[in-house]
Amino acid sequence: MQFVHDIRRILARGSGTPLDADEAQRLWGAILDESMDDVELGAVVAGIAARGETHEELLGLHRAVTERLAPWSPPLEARAIAIPAYGAVEGEARLAALAASLLRRFGIPVVIHGTLDSPRGISAARVLREIGILPCATLAQVDHEIVERHVAFVPVQLLAPSFAALLALRGRLGIENSAHRVAQALDPTRADAIRLGFCVGPESRGRLVGLAAATGGQHLALEWPRDDLSRHLTVRPCIEHVHGGRVTRLFEADPVDSRNPLADLDVDAAGIVRWIEAVMRGEMPLPVPVVNLVAGCLHAVGDACDLSRAKALAALHAARLAA
């Protein structure tokens, strides 16, 4: 009953006062602790989805989830890259798998966290399975994979089961909720990983960048101007580095009318993996936007003294693949 007033404010739409970060943190904390019944939970999720969440409400959920993440400290020899795999954009599976394959060649640990399914095409989990990166069953197994292979896929259920249940409401209600936005800014390692985040359009970018700046750490935010462009790795998104509350644009987005020669590759997970393997063998060109993303990661983790040096390192690696 203590949250009835907050729920009424959420349902009031334009006439209600949005929750501040502390109020949202308490409300989302109660949801994550399963202290609300299904009717109250549905009212909160549907009400926020109908009117749109505020920055403060997203920040409150981020704080509540972070408090409840598994107390896990992976054995990292270097700063990791955390890649979210929650179906935020259509081309996520191909991007996550190719980026992970490239980054670990630079000795950068990669932690991919997310759901096993995706509402937008083939899930990253399916593609990763095809290249031998299976979902880990325990956090101890994650530790082993990071040490031995420098890459691991961590199902969100291992990190925060109650948060996974909130994400799973997408399948029951048919709509995304605030959890899908917050997942883009999580650091599952609790070790100051560089967090990638994916979004489409300036409104989503504003939410992602604002949340990244408010939660600290380093983030690389990738924004595509249109959802149908995100599946094509030949179309570069806008890539921004969020660090210390400041936002630095590393790469501008390609024009919306860019050609997409990879349009027919998303036939199935096996087809995507065949393409990735051909790229890694140098039999097909490494898409320039992926080279740019790798450069941004090298810059963020500190392996290059500046962005120009990071670009040169990434381009050199691309040239070696093509040699």
Short mmCIF file of all heavy atoms in Angstrom, two decimals, residues 113-176:
data_model
loop_
_atom_site.label_atom_id
_atom_site.label_comp_id
_atom_site.label_asym_id
_atom_site.label_seq_id
_atom_site.Cartn_x
_atom_site.Cartn_y
_atom_site.Cartn_z
N HIS A 113 26.40 -9.59 -22.13
CA HIS A 113 25.33 -9.93 -21.18
C HIS A 113 23.98 -9.65 -21.84
O HIS A 113 23.84 -8.70 -22.60
CB HIS A 113 25.47 -9.11 -19.89
CG HIS A 113 25.43 -7.62 -20.09
ND1 HIS A 113 24.32 -6.84 -19.84
CD2 HIS A 113 26.38 -6.76 -20.53
CE1 HIS A 113 24.59 -5.57 -20.10
NE2 HIS A 113 25.84 -5.49 -20.53
N GLY A 114 23.00 -10.51 -21.57
CA GLY A 114 21.71 -10.28 -22.17
C GLY A 114 20.77 -11.45 -22.07
O GLY A 114 20.95 -12.37 -21.26
N THR A 115 19.75 -11.42 -22.91
CA THR A 115 18.71 -12.44 -22.94
C THR A 115 19.02 -13.47 -24.02
O THR A 115 19.82 -13.22 -24.92
CB THR A 115 17.34 -11.79 -23.21
OG1 THR A 115 17.42 -11.01 -24.42
CG2 THR A 115 16.94 -10.87 -22.06
N LEU A 116 18.36 -14.60 -23.92
CA LEU A 116 18.59 -15.66 -24.90
C LEU A 116 17.78 -15.48 -26.17
O LEU A 116 18.04 -16.14 -27.18
CB LEU A 116 18.26 -17.03 -24.26
CG LEU A 116 19.10 -17.40 -23.04
CD1 LEU A 116 18.67 -18.75 -22.50
CD2 LEU A 116 20.59 -17.41 -23.37
N ASP A 117 16.77 -14.60 -26.11
CA ASP A 117 15.94 -14.37 -27.29
C ASP A 117 16.01 -12.90 -27.68
O ASP A 117 16.65 -12.09 -27.02
CB ASP A 117 14.49 -14.76 -27.01
CG ASP A 117 13.89 -13.95 -25.86
OD1 ASP A 117 14.65 -13.24 -25.18
OD2 ASP A 117 12.67 -14.02 -25.65
N SER A 118 15.39 -12.58 -28.81
CA SER A 118 15.37 -11.20 -29.29
C SER A 118 14.09 -10.96 -30.07
O SER A 118 13.69 -11.82 -30.87
CB SER A 118 16.58 -10.92 -30.19
OG SER A 118 16.46 -9.66 -30.83
N PRO A 119 13.46 -9.80 -29.88
CA PRO A 119 12.25 -9.50 -30.66
C PRO A 119 12.58 -9.00 -32.06
O PRO A 119 11.70 -8.84 -32.89
CB PRO A 119 11.57 -8.41 -29.83
CG PRO A 119 12.72 -7.67 -29.23
CD PRO A 119 13.76 -8.72 -28.94
N ARG A 120 13.87 -8.72 -32.30
CA ARG A 120 14.28 -8.14 -33.58
C ARG A 120 15.24 -9.08 -34.29
O ARG A 120 16.45 -8.93 -34.25
CB ARG A 120 14.93 -6.78 -33.35
CG ARG A 120 13.97 -5.73 -32.81
CD ARG A 120 14.68 -4.39 -32.62
NE ARG A 120 13.74 -3.35 -32.24
CZ ARG A 120 13.41 -3.07 -30.99
NH1 ARG A 120 13.94 -3.76 -29.99
NH2 ARG A 120 12.55 -2.10 -30.73
N GLY A 121 14.69 -10.08 -34.93
CA GLY A 121 15.52 -10.99 -35.71
C GLY A 121 16.25 -12.00 -34.86
O GLY A 121 15.84 -12.36 -33.76
N ILE A 122 17.40 -12.43 -35.36
CA ILE A 122 18.17 -13.48 -34.72
C ILE A 122 18.84 -12.93 -33.47
O ILE A 122 19.40 -11.83 -33.47
CB ILE A 122 19.23 -14.00 -35.70
CG1 ILE A 122 18.54 -14.56 -36.95
CG2 ILE A 122 20.11 -15.05 -35.07
CD1 ILE A 122 19.45 -14.76 -38.12
N SER A 123 18.79 -13.69 -32.39
CA SER A 123 19.38 -13.23 -31.14
C SER A 123 20.90 -13.38 -31.17
O SER A 123 21.45 -14.25 -31.86
CB SER A 123 18.80 -14.00 -29.96
OG SER A 123 19.27 -15.34 -29.96
N ALA A 124 21.56 -12.54 -30.39
CA ALA A 124 23.01 -12.65 -30.26
C ALA A 124 23.40 -13.99 -29.67
O ALA A 124 24.44 -14.56 -30.04
CB ALA A 124 23.54 -11.50 -29.39
N ALA A 125 22.59 -14.51 -28.74
CA ALA A 125 22.90 -15.79 -28.12
C ALA A 125 23.00 -16.90 -29.16
O ALA A 125 23.88 -17.78 -29.07
CB ALA A 125 21.85 -16.14 -27.08
N ARG A 126 22.12 -16.89 -30.16
CA ARG A 126 22.15 -17.93 -31.20
C ARG A 126 23.40 -17.82 -32.05
O ARG A 126 24.03 -18.82 -32.39
CB ARG A 126 20.90 -17.82 -32.08
CG ARG A 126 19.62 -18.32 -31.44
CD ARG A 126 18.46 -18.22 -32.40
NE ARG A 126 18.71 -18.97 -33.63
CZ ARG A 126 17.96 -18.86 -34.73
NH1 ARG A 126 16.93 -18.02 -34.76
NH2 ARG A 126 18.24 -19.57 -35.79
N VAL A 127 23.76 -16.60 -32.42
CA VAL A 127 24.94 -16.41 -33.26
C VAL A 127 26.20 -16.77 -32.47
O VAL A 127 27.10 -17.45 -32.99
CB VAL A 127 25.01 -14.96 -33.77
CG1 VAL A 127 26.31 -14.72 -34.54
CG2 VAL A 127 23.81 -14.66 -34.67
N LEU A 128 26.27 -16.33 -31.23
CA LEU A 128 27.43 -16.65 -30.40
C LEU A 128 27.58 -18.16 -30.21
O LEU A 128 28.70 -18.69 -30.20
CB LEU A 128 27.32 -15.95 -29.04
CG LEU A 128 27.43 -14.43 -29.08
CD1 LEU A 128 26.99 -13.83 -27.75
CD2 LEU A 128 28.85 -14.00 -29.43
N ARG A 129 26.46 -18.85 -30.06
CA ARG A 129 26.52 -20.31 -29.93
C ARG A 129 27.15 -20.95 -31.16
O ARG A 129 27.92 -21.91 -31.06
CB ARG A 129 25.10 -20.87 -29.70
CG ARG A 129 25.05 -22.37 -29.53
CD ARG A 129 23.61 -22.83 -29.36
NE ARG A 129 23.07 -22.42 -28.08
CZ ARG A 129 23.22 -23.10 -26.95
NH1 ARG A 129 23.92 -24.22 -26.94
NH2 ARG A 129 22.68 -22.66 -25.84
N GLU A 130 26.84 -20.41 -32.33
CA GLU A 130 27.38 -20.95 -33.58
C GLU A 130 28.89 -20.78 -33.68
O GLU A 130 29.55 -21.54 -34.37
CB GLU A 130 26.70 -20.28 -34.77
CG GLU A 130 25.24 -20.65 -34.99
CD GLU A 130 25.06 -22.06 -35.53
OE1 GLU A 130 26.01 -22.58 -36.16
OE2 GLU A 130 23.98 -22.65 -35.32
N ILE A 131 29.43 -19.77 -32.99
CA ILE A 131 30.89 -19.59 -33.04
C ILE A 131 31.56 -20.15 -31.78
O ILE A 131 32.73 -19.89 -31.52
CB ILE A 131 31.28 -18.11 -33.24
CG1 ILE A 131 30.78 -17.22 -32.10
CG2 ILE A 131 30.79 -17.59 -34.57
CD1 ILE A 131 31.26 -15.78 -32.21
N GLY A 132 30.80 -20.93 -31.03
CA GLY A 132 31.38 -21.63 -29.89
C GLY A 132 31.36 -20.90 -28.57
O GLY A 132 31.96 -21.34 -27.60
N ILE A 133 30.64 -19.76 -28.51
CA ILE A 133 30.52 -19.02 -27.25
C ILE A 133 29.14 -19.31 -26.69
O ILE A 133 28.15 -18.68 -27.06
CB ILE A 133 30.72 -17.51 -27.46
CG1 ILE A 133 32.08 -17.23 -28.10
CG2 ILE A 133 30.58 -16.76 -26.14
CD1 ILE A 133 32.30 -15.79 -28.51
N LEU A 134 29.07 -20.30 -25.80
CA LEU A 134 27.79 -20.73 -25.26
C LEU A 134 27.41 -19.91 -24.02
O LEU A 134 28.30 -19.40 -23.33
CB LEU A 134 27.84 -22.21 -24.88
CG LEU A 134 27.61 -23.24 -25.99
CD1 LEU A 134 28.67 -23.12 -27.07
CD2 LEU A 134 27.58 -24.65 -25.43
N PRO A 135 26.12 -19.80 -23.76
CA PRO A 135 25.71 -19.11 -22.52
C PRO A 135 26.28 -19.83 -21.31
O PRO A 135 26.21 -21.06 -21.20
CB PRO A 135 24.17 -19.21 -22.55
CG PRO A 135 23.83 -19.44 -23.98
CD PRO A 135 24.96 -20.23 -24.56
N CYS A 136 26.88 -19.09 -20.40
CA CYS A 136 27.45 -19.69 -19.20
C CYS A 136 26.34 -20.07 -18.22
O CYS A 136 25.34 -19.37 -18.08
CB CYS A 136 28.42 -18.72 -18.53
SG CYS A 136 29.91 -18.41 -19.51
N ALA A 137 26.55 -21.18 -17.54
CA ALA A 137 25.56 -21.67 -16.59
C ALA A 137 25.80 -21.17 -15.18
O ALA A 137 24.89 -21.13 -14.35
CB ALA A 137 25.52 -23.20 -16.58
N THR A 138 27.04 -20.77 -14.88
CA THR A 138 27.39 -20.26 -13.57
C THR A 138 28.39 -19.12 -13.74
O THR A 138 29.05 -19.00 -14.78
CB THR A 138 28.03 -21.35 -12.68
OG1 THR A 138 29.29 -21.73 -13.28
CG2 THR A 138 27.13 -22.57 -12.55
N LEU A 139 28.52 -18.31 -12.70
CA LEU A 139 29.51 -17.24 -12.75
C LEU A 139 30.93 -17.79 -12.70
O LEU A 139 31.86 -17.18 -13.23
CB LEU A 139 29.26 -16.25 -11.61
CG LEU A 139 27.97 -15.43 -11.75
CD1 LEU A 139 27.74 -14.58 -10.52
CD2 LEU A 139 28.01 -14.56 -13.01
N ALA A 140 31.10 -18.94 -12.06
CA ALA A 140 32.41 -19.59 -12.08
C ALA A 140 32.81 -19.97 -13.51
O ALA A 140 33.98 -19.86 -13.89
CB ALA A 140 32.40 -20.82 -11.18
N GLN A 141 31.84 -20.41 -14.29
CA GLN A 141 32.12 -20.73 -15.68
C GLN A 141 32.47 -19.47 -16.47
O GLN A 141 33.33 -19.50 -17.35
CB GLN A 141 30.91 -21.42 -16.32
CG GLN A 141 31.16 -21.89 -17.75
CD GLN A 141 29.94 -22.53 -18.38
OE1 GLN A 141 28.90 -22.71 -17.74
NE2 GLN A 141 30.04 -22.88 -19.65
N VAL A 142 31.80 -18.35 -16.15
CA VAL A 142 32.15 -17.08 -16.79
C VAL A 142 33.62 -16.75 -16.52
O VAL A 142 34.36 -16.37 -17.43
CB VAL A 142 31.24 -15.95 -16.28
CG1 VAL A 142 31.63 -14.63 -16.96
CG2 VAL A 142 29.77 -16.25 -16.54
N ASP A 143 34.04 -16.89 -15.27
CA ASP A 143 35.44 -16.62 -14.92
C ASP A 143 36.39 -17.47 -15.77
O ASP A 143 37.40 -16.97 -16.28
CB ASP A 143 35.67 -16.92 -13.44
CG ASP A 143 34.98 -15.93 -12.52
OD1 ASP A 143 34.55 -14.87 -13.01
OD2 ASP A 143 34.88 -16.22 -11.31
N HIS A 144 36.05 -18.75 -15.91
CA HIS A 144 36.90 -19.66 -16.69
C HIS A 144 36.97 -19.21 -18.15
O HIS A 144 38.07 -19.20 -18.76
CB HIS A 144 36.35 -21.09 -16.60
CG HIS A 144 37.13 -22.08 -17.40
ND1 HIS A 144 36.81 -22.38 -18.71
CD2 HIS A 144 38.23 -22.83 -17.10
CE1 HIS A 144 37.66 -23.27 -19.18
NE2 HIS A 144 38.53 -23.56 -18.22
N GLU A 145 35.83 -18.85 -18.73
CA GLU A 145 35.81 -18.45 -20.14
C GLU A 145 36.61 -17.17 -20.36
O GLU A 145 37.31 -17.03 -21.37
CB GLU A 145 34.36 -18.26 -20.59
CG GLU A 145 33.54 -19.54 -20.65
CD GLU A 145 34.09 -20.51 -21.68
OE1 GLU A 145 34.15 -20.14 -22.87
OE2 GLU A 145 34.47 -21.63 -21.30
N ILE A 146 36.52 -16.24 -19.43
CA ILE A 146 37.25 -14.99 -19.58
C ILE A 146 38.76 -15.24 -19.52
O ILE A 146 39.54 -14.67 -20.29
CB ILE A 146 36.82 -13.98 -18.50
CG1 ILE A 146 35.39 -13.50 -18.79
CG2 ILE A 146 37.77 -12.79 -18.44
CD1 ILE A 146 34.83 -12.60 -17.72
N VAL A 147 39.19 -16.09 -18.60
CA VAL A 147 40.61 -16.39 -18.47
C VAL A 147 41.12 -17.14 -19.69
O VAL A 147 42.19 -16.83 -20.24
CB VAL A 147 40.88 -17.20 -17.19
CG1 VAL A 147 42.31 -17.72 -17.17
CG2 VAL A 147 40.61 -16.35 -15.95
N GLU A 148 40.37 -18.14 -20.14
CA GLU A 148 40.84 -19.01 -21.22
C GLU A 148 40.61 -18.42 -22.61
O GLU A 148 41.44 -18.62 -23.51
CB GLU A 148 40.13 -20.37 -21.13
CG GLU A 148 40.47 -21.16 -19.88
CD GLU A 148 41.94 -21.54 -19.82
OE1 GLU A 148 42.51 -21.85 -20.88
OE2 GLU A 148 42.51 -21.52 -18.71
N ARG A 149 39.50 -17.67 -22.79
CA ARG A 149 39.14 -17.24 -24.15
C ARG A 149 38.97 -15.73 -24.29
O ARG A 149 38.74 -15.24 -25.39
CB ARG A 149 37.85 -17.94 -24.57
CG ARG A 149 37.90 -19.47 -24.40
CD ARG A 149 36.60 -20.11 -24.82
NE ARG A 149 36.34 -19.94 -26.23
CZ ARG A 149 35.22 -20.32 -26.84
NH1 ARG A 149 34.25 -20.88 -26.14
NH2 ARG A 149 35.05 -20.13 -28.13
N HIS A 150 39.03 -15.02 -23.19
CA HIS A 150 38.86 -13.56 -23.19
C HIS A 150 37.47 -13.11 -23.62
O HIS A 150 37.29 -11.93 -23.96
CB HIS A 150 39.91 -12.86 -24.07
CG HIS A 150 41.32 -13.12 -23.64
ND1 HIS A 150 41.85 -12.65 -22.46
CD2 HIS A 150 42.32 -13.83 -24.23
CE1 HIS A 150 43.10 -13.04 -22.34
NE2 HIS A 150 43.42 -13.76 -23.39
N VAL A 151 36.50 -13.99 -23.62
CA VAL A 151 35.14 -13.62 -23.98
C VAL A 151 34.17 -14.59 -23.31
O VAL A 151 34.47 -15.78 -23.17
CB VAL A 151 34.93 -13.63 -25.51
CG1 VAL A 151 35.16 -15.01 -26.11
CG2 VAL A 151 33.56 -13.09 -25.88
N ALA A 152 33.03 -14.06 -22.86
CA ALA A 152 32.00 -14.90 -22.25
C ALA A 152 30.65 -14.27 -22.47
O ALA A 152 30.52 -13.02 -22.53
CB ALA A 152 32.27 -15.08 -20.76
N PHE A 153 29.63 -15.13 -22.61
CA PHE A 153 28.25 -14.66 -22.69
C PHE A 153 27.58 -14.98 -21.36
O PHE A 153 27.52 -16.14 -20.94
CB PHE A 153 27.49 -15.32 -23.83
CG PHE A 153 26.04 -14.90 -23.89
CD1 PHE A 153 25.71 -13.61 -24.25
CD2 PHE A 153 25.03 -15.78 -23.55
CE1 PHE A 153 24.38 -13.20 -24.29
CE2 PHE A 153 23.70 -15.39 -23.59
CZ PHE A 153 23.38 -14.09 -23.96
N VAL A 154 27.08 -13.94 -20.68
CA VAL A 154 26.47 -14.08 -19.36
C VAL A 154 24.97 -13.83 -19.48
O VAL A 154 24.56 -12.68 -19.69
CB VAL A 154 27.08 -13.08 -18.36
CG1 VAL A 154 26.62 -13.43 -16.94
CG2 VAL A 154 28.59 -13.06 -18.45
N PRO A 155 24.13 -14.85 -19.37
CA PRO A 155 22.69 -14.60 -19.36
C PRO A 155 22.32 -13.70 -18.19
O PRO A 155 22.87 -13.82 -17.09
CB PRO A 155 22.09 -16.01 -19.18
CG PRO A 155 23.16 -16.95 -19.64
CD PRO A 155 24.47 -16.28 -19.28
N VAL A 156 21.42 -12.78 -18.41
CA VAL A 156 21.07 -11.81 -17.38
C VAL A 156 20.50 -12.49 -16.14
O VAL A 156 20.60 -11.95 -15.02
CB VAL A 156 20.08 -10.77 -17.94
CG1 VAL A 156 18.74 -11.40 -18.28
CG2 VAL A 156 19.90 -9.61 -16.97
N GLN A 157 19.97 -13.70 -16.29
CA GLN A 157 19.44 -14.43 -15.13
C GLN A 157 20.53 -14.70 -14.08
O GLN A 157 20.24 -14.79 -12.89
CB GLN A 157 18.82 -15.76 -15.57
CG GLN A 157 17.52 -15.63 -16.32
CD GLN A 157 17.73 -15.42 -17.80
OE1 GLN A 157 18.86 -15.14 -18.26
NE2 GLN A 157 16.68 -15.55 -18.58
N LEU A 158 21.78 -14.85 -14.53
CA LEU A 158 22.87 -15.07 -13.59
C LEU A 158 23.22 -13.81 -12.81
O LEU A 158 23.69 -13.88 -11.67
CB LEU A 158 24.13 -15.56 -14.32
CG LEU A 158 24.13 -16.98 -14.89
CD1 LEU A 158 25.49 -17.26 -15.50
CD2 LEU A 158 23.81 -18.00 -13.82
N LEU A 159 23.01 -12.67 -13.43
CA LEU A 159 23.40 -11.41 -12.81
C LEU A 159 22.33 -10.87 -11.87
O LEU A 159 22.65 -10.35 -10.80
CB LEU A 159 23.69 -10.38 -13.91
CG LEU A 159 24.82 -10.74 -14.88
CD1 LEU A 159 24.82 -9.79 -16.06
CD2 LEU A 159 26.16 -10.71 -14.16
N ALA A 160 21.07 -10.95 -12.29
CA ALA A 160 19.97 -10.40 -11.50
C ALA A 160 18.67 -11.07 -11.95
O ALA A 160 18.04 -10.61 -12.89
CB ALA A 160 19.88 -8.89 -11.66
N PRO A 161 18.27 -12.17 -11.30
CA PRO A 161 17.08 -12.90 -11.73
C PRO A 161 15.81 -12.04 -11.76
O PRO A 161 14.99 -12.18 -12.67
CB PRO A 161 16.96 -14.02 -10.69
CG PRO A 161 18.35 -14.21 -10.18
CD PRO A 161 18.97 -12.85 -10.20
N SER A 162 15.65 -11.16 -10.79
CA SER A 162 14.44 -10.34 -10.76
C SER A 162 14.44 -9.32 -11.91
O SER A 162 13.38 -9.00 -12.45
CB SER A 162 14.31 -9.62 -9.42
OG SER A 162 15.45 -8.81 -9.15
N PHE A 163 15.60 -8.83 -12.28
CA PHE A 163 15.69 -7.93 -13.44
C PHE A 163 15.39 -8.70 -14.72
O PHE A 163 14.73 -8.17 -15.62
CB PHE A 163 17.09 -7.31 -13.50
CG PHE A 163 17.26 -6.26 -14.56
CD1 PHE A 163 16.47 -5.13 -14.57
CD2 PHE A 163 18.22 -6.41 -15.55
CE1 PHE A 163 16.63 -4.14 -15.55
CE2 PHE A 163 18.39 -5.45 -16.52
CZ PHE A 163 17.60 -4.31 -16.53
N ALA A 164 15.85 -9.94 -14.80
CA ALA A 164 15.54 -10.79 -15.96
C ALA A 164 14.04 -10.99 -16.08
O ALA A 164 13.48 -10.99 -17.19
CB ALA A 164 16.25 -12.13 -15.83
N ALA A 165 13.35 -11.15 -14.95
CA ALA A 165 11.89 -11.32 -14.98
C ALA A 165 11.21 -10.05 -15.48
O ALA A 165 10.21 -10.12 -16.21
CB ALA A 165 11.39 -11.68 -13.58
N LEU A 166 11.75 -8.89 -15.12
CA LEU A 166 11.19 -7.63 -15.60
C LEU A 166 11.39 -7.50 -17.11
O LEU A 166 10.49 -7.07 -17.83
CB LEU A 166 11.86 -6.47 -14.86
CG LEU A 166 11.32 -5.06 -15.09
CD1 LEU A 166 9.84 -4.98 -14.75
CD2 LEU A 166 12.12 -4.06 -14.26
N LEU A 167 12.55 -7.89 -17.60
CA LEU A 167 12.80 -7.87 -19.04
C LEU A 167 11.88 -8.84 -19.78
O LEU A 167 11.43 -8.57 -20.89
CB LEU A 167 14.26 -8.25 -19.31
CG LEU A 167 15.33 -7.24 -18.90
CD1 LEU A 167 16.69 -7.91 -18.77
CD2 LEU A 167 15.41 -6.10 -19.91
N ALA A 168 11.59 -9.98 -19.15
CA ALA A 168 10.76 -11.01 -19.78
C ALA A 168 9.33 -10.57 -19.97
O ALA A 168 8.58 -11.21 -20.73
CB ALA A 168 10.82 -12.30 -18.97
N LEU A 169 8.90 -9.50 -19.31
CA LEU A 169 7.53 -9.01 -19.49
C LEU A 169 7.28 -8.58 -20.93
O LEU A 169 6.13 -8.48 -21.35
CB LEU A 169 7.26 -7.84 -18.54
CG LEU A 169 7.14 -8.18 -17.05
CD1 LEU A 169 6.95 -6.91 -16.25
CD2 LEU A 169 5.98 -9.14 -16.82
N ARG A 170 8.36 -8.31 -21.68
CA ARG A 170 8.19 -7.94 -23.08
C ARG A 170 7.44 -9.02 -23.84
O ARG A 170 6.57 -8.74 -24.67
CB ARG A 170 9.55 -7.70 -23.73
CG ARG A 170 9.51 -7.36 -25.20
CD ARG A 170 10.87 -6.92 -25.72
NE ARG A 170 11.89 -7.91 -25.47
CZ ARG A 170 13.20 -7.69 -25.67
NH1 ARG A 170 13.62 -6.52 -26.08
NH2 ARG A 170 14.07 -8.65 -25.45
N GLY A 171 7.75 -10.29 -23.54
CA GLY A 171 7.07 -11.38 -24.21
C GLY A 171 5.62 -11.50 -23.82
O GLY A 171 4.77 -11.87 -24.64
N ARG A 172 5.28 -11.18 -22.56
CA ARG A 172 3.90 -11.32 -22.08
C ARG A 172 3.03 -10.13 -22.46
O ARG A 172 1.87 -10.29 -22.81
CB ARG A 172 3.90 -11.48 -20.56
CG ARG A 172 4.54 -12.77 -20.06
CD ARG A 172 4.67 -12.76 -18.56
NE ARG A 172 3.37 -12.59 -17.89
CZ ARG A 172 3.23 -12.39 -16.59
NH1 ARG A 172 4.31 -12.32 -15.81
NH2 ARG A 172 2.03 -12.25 -16.07
N LEU A 173 3.61 -8.91 -22.40
CA LEU A 173 2.83 -7.70 -22.64
C LEU A 173 2.96 -7.19 -24.07
O LEU A 173 2.16 -6.37 -24.50
CB LEU A 173 3.26 -6.60 -21.66
CG LEU A 173 3.11 -6.93 -20.16
CD1 LEU A 173 3.59 -5.76 -19.32
CD2 LEU A 173 1.67 -7.28 -19.83
N GLY A 174 3.99 -7.64 -24.77
CA GLY A 174 4.16 -7.19 -26.16
C GLY A 174 4.79 -5.82 -26.30
O GLY A 174 4.81 -5.25 -27.39
N ILE A 175 5.30 -5.25 -25.20
CA ILE A 175 5.93 -3.94 -25.26
C ILE A 175 7.23 -3.97 -24.46
O ILE A 175 7.37 -4.75 -23.52
CB ILE A 175 5.02 -2.83 -24.68
CG1 ILE A 175 4.61 -3.18 -23.24
CG2 ILE A 175 3.82 -2.58 -25.56
CD1 ILE A 175 3.85 -2.07 -22.55
N GLU A 176 8.17 -3.13 -24.86
CA GLU A 176 9.38 -2.98 -24.08
C GLU A 176 9.09 -2.08 -22.88
O GLU A 176 8.13 -1.31 -22.87
CB GLU A 176 10.49 -2.38 -24.95
CG GLU A 176 10.96 -3.33 -26.04
CD GLU A 176 12.15 -2.78 -26.81
OE1 GLU A 176 12.49 -1.60 -26.62
OE2 GLU A 176 12.73 -3.55 -27.60
#
